[in-house]
Amino acid sequence: MKSIRNMFLTILFFVAFLLNANAQTIFLKQSNESGIYKSGENIRVTIFSEGLESDSVSVRILKNYNEFQSKKIKLTSDSLVIFNEKTDEAVSMIFEIRAADQLVSTGLVVDPEKFQPGTDRPKDFKKYWKQEKKALHSLPMELKSETVENTDINFDCSNIEINCTAPKPVRGYFAKPKNAAPKSLPIVLFVHAAGVKGSWCLARPETAVNYAKMGNGALAFDLNAHGMLNGQPQGYYDDLEAGELKGYFYRGLENRDELYFRGMYLRLMRTLDFLTSQPEWDGKRIIVIGESQGGGQALAAAGLDNRVSAVVATVPAMCDWGGTLAGRKGGWPQPFSQPGDKQKMMQTLPYFDAAHLLKNSKATIVTEIGFVDFTCPSNSIYAAVNQSEGKKIILGVPYRGHQLDQKQFQKIWQETVYQPKMKFIEDFLK
């Protein structure tokens, strides 16, 4: 992988779960605390236990998210090596230990720079997106803007709607410092995780204003993923999720003009066109930030618009959907695992897969990867990011699933993962 700076976590790597009620403790330790190995490097995983009432535990080992071993073992001492092998292939592995109703897991990857997309990039890939962009740019921009009252008198904030070639318009909140000089500000585009009605799905004025305050000030846009109205009663979003947008991520899998993510990506590009038209933009810096579905959108933006100079993508979705066809687990929402005509899916999905969109991208990519993430598998993210030609800062987290479920690692995650991501953003915006 070119120009990769892997920010390995400098921790004594234990995956631990404390059973407070019975004072029972289970630990898992890897021989390489980063969770990242080279071909031929020995991988040793050890269970450590204290105070277990039962000496029997269940062990499950997965390779590329497929079950490799499953067995019950007895712990005859306080520690037991459950895996001690080498491998010569690029692979992700997860080790799960279950005692009573408690689950402990740790993950690793071998030769992550060797993961490649599970589908081929379509021969007319560039032509397709060139046509989509031409249609988008040919549509005269119609802007609706409503001033939003906010508590900071030094910033303007507006509820924005922009027409688009997507089925729905762009909708979100736009904030900027008052009286900023022309060509003085970077752009921050914030995009949202999957869902419709949850708090994490909704654009908010305060989010846009907070990003506009960062660094020395920014043109900040909080874009909702679906082109839905902003600032509505909760019932509006409840109804959308139960009705019009129910299961949106599986729509149009057999037709590239109907695939839901097409509209999402077109709104991304339309938003960037709006932001880059602002006289305050410095003409250089654009950063796109998101988690999960938002992380996938951030990577897509870097692939679709070469003006994007950096992304921060946390456990990104929409990566290497074709991994499902290559014996691995593909990225969320795993569309190739759905029923339907696989040949038609092959003629649709690769055009919107971050693993193909990122090819030749020069943007700096900061990405957090959870090695026990079953929603956005580690191998899918590596397969996508490996296609980029820009600088990469990869934060591999052996104890992280799609969320940080093991709360005992909260402090060290804050120090070694979250804070470096925020520092990157702050430094980028200075």
Side-chain angles (χ1 to χ4, degrees):
M1 191 184 299
K2 298 179 181 178
S3 302
I4 295 180
R5 190 181 80 195
N6 284 312
M7 296 184 66
F8 294 149
L9 305 181
T10 55
I11 64 172
L12 176 61
F13 178 59
F14 282 95
V15 172
F17 193 99
L18 177 62
L19 308 180
N20 291 316
N22 298 311
Q24 302 178 102
T25 308
I26 304 172
F27 303 89
L28 279 173
K29 182 181 178 181
Q30 291 188 42
S31 52
N32 187 329
E33 63 190 28
S34 73
I36 300 177
Y37 297 78
K38 295 291 186 183
S39 291
E41 183 179 353
N42 193 65
I43 302 168
R44 186 177 66 255
V45 181
T46 306
I47 301 177
F48 293 84
S49 63
E50 296 176 8
L52 289 180
E53 292 183 355
S54 171
D55 60 358
S56 179
V57 298
S58 297
V59 178
R60 189 166 79 122
I61 303 173
L62 299 97
K63 282 190 173 183
N64 290 331
Y65 292 82
N66 300 308
E67 188 169 290
F68 174 63
Q69 290 182 14
S70 182
K71 57 188 176 181
K72 284 192 174 182
I73 60 173
K74 287 191 175 182
L75 301 178
T76 57
S77 63
D78 291 340
S79 66
L80 178 67
V81 175
I82 60 169
F83 192 84
N84 192 25
E85 296 181 16
K86 300 176 182 179
T87 181
D88 293 324
E89 61 178 334
V91 67
S92 64
M93 298 188 71
I94 294 175
F95 298 83
E96 297 180 342
I97 307 299
R98 187 178 295 277
D101 60 347
Q102 304 301 326
L103 181 67
V104 179
S105 62
T106 180
L108 60 88
V109 288
V110 179
D111 286 348
E113 71 280 358
K114 293 183 180 179
F115 281 111
Q116 295 298 316
T119 55
D120 293 331
R121 196 172 195 245
K123 293 181 179 179
D124 66 340
F125 185 91
K126 288 184 178 180
K127 180 180 178 182
Y128 172 77
W129 281 110
K130 184 177 180 179
Q131 291 172 338
E132 290 288 339
K133 292 174 186 178
K134 182 178 179 180
L136 187 65
H137 296 152
S138 297
L139 180 67
M141 188 172 289
E142 296 177 1
L143 176 69
K144 296 179 182 179
S145 178
E146 179 182 348
T147 299
V148 176
E149 296 297 328
N150 72 87
T151 57
D152 197 315
I153 62 173
N154 297 312
F155 290 81
D156 291 323
C157 185
S158 302
N159 185 359
I160 296 290
E161 179 179 307
I162 309 168
N163 64 332
C164 186
T165 52
K168 295 287 185 180
V170 169
R171 290 189 174 118
Y173 291 102
F174 173 51
K176 63 180 180 179
K178 288 184 176 179
N179 304 316
K183 299 184 177 180
S184 65
L185 299 177
I187 287 169
V188 180
L189 175 56
F190 180 76
V191 283
H192 286 266
V196 179
K197 68 179 183 179
S199 59
W200 63 91
C201 309
L202 307 180
R204 300 182 186 279
E206 54 266 32
T207 303
V209 172
N210 287 340
Y211 276 111
K213 292 179 179 179
M214 293 186 72
N216 296 317
L219 299 167
F221 201 104
D222 181 1
L223 172 68
N224 82 60
H226 308 297
M228 57 194 181
L229 295 170
N230 296 307
Q232 300 301 300
Q234 185 61 41
Y236 167 80
Y237 303 105
D238 293 344
D239 291 344
L240 280 179
E241 185 164 274
E244 181 182 340
L245 292 178
K246 184 177 182 180
Y248 66 86
F249 36 81
Y250 291 138
R251 290 190 183 173
L253 299 185
E254 298 178 7
N255 186 324
R256 67 185 184 184
D257 293 327
E258 297 177 2
L259 186 74
Y260 189 83
F261 292 102
R262 171 182 172 272
M264 191 179 290
Y265 294 172
L266 289 170
R267 286 189 289 273
L268 272 177
M269 291 190 286
R270 191 65 158 177
T271 305
L272 289 170
D273 286 342
F274 164 74
L275 291 169
T276 55
S277 72
Q278 302 305 302
E280 298 92 345
W281 180 45
D282 65 13
K284 297 177 181 179
R285 292 173 294 166
I286 301 175
I287 186 169
V288 187
I289 303 168
E291 181 170 344
S292 191
Q293 177 186 267
Q297 291 177 81
L299 295 180
L304 288 167
D305 193 324
N306 60 17
R307 294 173 298 184
V308 174
S309 45
V311 301
V312 176
T314 299
V315 292
M318 290 100 87
C319 291
D320 189 26
W321 287 332
T324 303
L325 307 176
R328 312 186 291 266
K329 188 172 186 179
W332 182 90
Q334 290 89 42
F336 278 113
S337 67
Q338 295 301 300
D341 187 324
K342 292 299 187 287
Q343 187 59 40
K344 289 182 179 179
M345 290 183 188
M346 284 288 290
Q347 296 170 0
T348 299
L349 296 172
Y351 292 89
F352 306 91
D353 189 331
H356 297 309
L357 290 166
L358 276 176
K359 187 176 178 62
N360 302 321
S361 171
K362 302 297 193 299
T364 295
I365 295 175
V366 179
T367 185
E368 178 183 350
I369 303 176
F371 289 175
V372 290
D373 188 341
F374 282 82
T375 302
C376 297
S378 58
N379 46 243
S380 72
I381 302 170
Y382 278 111
V385 173
N386 286 345
Q387 309 311 305
S388 170
E389 295 182 1
K391 181 180 179 181
K392 306 173 185 72
I393 301 172
I394 299 178
L395 299 161
V397 190
Y399 54 81
R400 174 169 180 152
H402 200 55
Q403 288 81 35
L404 188 62
D405 298 317
Q406 300 186 82
K407 298 304 181 184
Q408 66 271 32
F409 288 105
Q410 184 71 38
K411 184 175 185 295
I412 199 161
W413 176 82
Q414 287 276 346
E415 294 172 351
T416 61
V417 182
Y418 179 75
Q419 290 178 13
K421 285 193 298 183
M422 295 307 296
K423 185 177 187 304
F424 176 86
I425 296 170
E426 286 280 4
D427 290 346
F428 181 87
L429 296 176
K430 285 181 180 177

